[in-house]
Amino acid sequence: VSQVMEIGLPLVLALNMIDVAKSRNIWINSEALSKKLGIPVAPICAYRNQGIDYLCQAITKGLIKKTRVDGDLLPRFPDALTHQVNSLCKDVNRSRKSKTHQVQKVEVFRAIMDEGVESRLTHGWGEGIDKKLFETRKMLGESSTALEAEVRFGWIERTVSGCISRPKGLQTIPSDRIDRMLTHRFFGMTIFLFVMGLVFQSIYSWSGPLMQVIDEAFGTLGEH
């Protein structure tokens, strides 16, 4: 959510599977969360079609008003990194021939943070950009991935604080007990072998009479 918010487009957050959360005594104050994020938050249950009307209304209002996310509500990265992103963004757009498709700050930020997408994002950004990105990462003095994780998880902790109520202990539901049984080192393998035995038995033995009926039916149709 924090990464999508940084794009700067109107945004609506849909909290799906809210019924599962309630079944585990996890309660989310969507109004408080909406105030902290500065965007509409719609608790929904897509499977049961609950809350969809409110979600559609929120999307419609967002498209009409085109409300932007308040920059003060976004994760705060070190000032040195922010300054470098702004500087690189200006340099790239100054050197680009196309003035209609300007590079956005969020693109430059992602190129710095994620070396895996650097070549895809920086295609056509001009010569020397890879060197500047490398120098920026070196200036940070630590792993860019670790830095981003630290900032975002800190932001998440502050944002959800006071918005979520959950039991202290982990509550189990029937599906959890079934999972433990199916993934057990002994019973899980036993159940797996039993199921596979049923599959092979149904294919090679139990399907015989049905295949015979089908063959006879096609033979009869072929004669006519």
Side-chain angles (χ1 to χ4, degrees):
V1 172
S2 65
Q3 290 178 328
V4 175
M5 288 173 65
E6 289 170 348
I7 298 176
L9 295 175
L11 181 63
V12 176
L13 174 61
L15 293 178
N16 194 21
M17 299 177 67
I18 200 71
D19 56 325
V20 177
K22 290 181 179 179
S23 69
R24 300 193 178 198
N25 289 326
I26 300 174
W27 301 91
I28 302 174
N29 189 333
S30 58
E31 293 182 1
L33 187 59
S34 176
K35 290 181 180 179
K36 285 196 172 186
L37 293 174
I39 60 175
V41 176
I44 68 170
C45 174
Y47 177 73
R48 292 184 172 86
N49 202 32
Q50 296 175 353
I52 304 300
D53 291 339
Y54 175 76
L55 176 62
C56 292
Q57 293 174 7
I59 293 174
T60 302
K61 290 180 181 178
L63 291 174
I64 295 175
K65 293 182 178 180
K66 296 182 178 180
T67 305
R68 306 289 177 173
V69 177
D70 188 349
D72 293 334
L73 301 176
L74 297 174
R76 299 287 296 180
F77 288 89
D79 292 338
L81 174 59
T82 303
H83 174 74
Q84 196 68 11
V85 169
N86 294 337
S87 177
L88 283 175
C89 190
K90 290 180 181 178
D91 291 344
V92 171
N93 286 324
R94 193 181 300 116
S95 62
R96 283 169 61 87
K97 296 180 180 180
S98 175
K99 301 301 180 183
T100 56
H101 298 86
Q102 296 288 288
V103 173
Q104 303 299 316
K105 294 179 182 179
V106 65
E107 296 178 272
V108 176
F109 177 83
R110 283 260 53 89
I112 294 174
M113 291 290 109
D114 195 340
E115 296 182 47
V117 300
E118 176 184 334
S119 59
R120 177 168 59 84
L121 287 177
T122 59
H123 179 70
W125 283 12
E127 297 181 0
I129 187 64
D130 53 342
K131 184 179 179 180
K132 292 181 180 179
L133 293 175
F134 174 78
E135 292 175 350
T136 301
R137 297 190 191 103
K138 188 177 180 180
M139 177 202 66
L140 296 177
E142 59 179 312
S143 170
S144 56
T145 304
L147 172 63
E148 182 177 18
E150 180 181 355
V151 172
R152 291 197 189 280
F153 278 104
W155 176 86
I156 291 170
E157 186 176 352
R158 293 189 300 271
T159 301
V160 301
S161 177
C163 299
I164 299 179
S165 174
R166 69 180 74 196
K168 293 182 179 179
L170 181 62
Q171 291 192 333
T172 58
I173 58 177
S175 63
D176 293 329
R177 292 190 285 271
I178 294 174
D179 289 341
R180 283 200 298 270
M181 179 67 71
L182 294 177
T183 57
H184 191 274
R185 64 174 60 187
F186 174 74
F187 295 110
M189 182 59 67
T190 303
I191 295 173
F192 171 76
L193 293 175
F194 176 73
V195 172
M196 293 304 297
L198 287 178
V199 172
F200 281 106
Q201 183 72 10
S202 63
I203 293 175
Y204 294 104
S205 297
W206 300 340
S207 62
L210 179 60
M211 294 298 296
Q212 184 177 357
V213 171
I214 294 175
D215 289 338
E216 292 176 355
F218 274 104
T220 301
L221 290 174
E223 293 177 359
H224 294 285

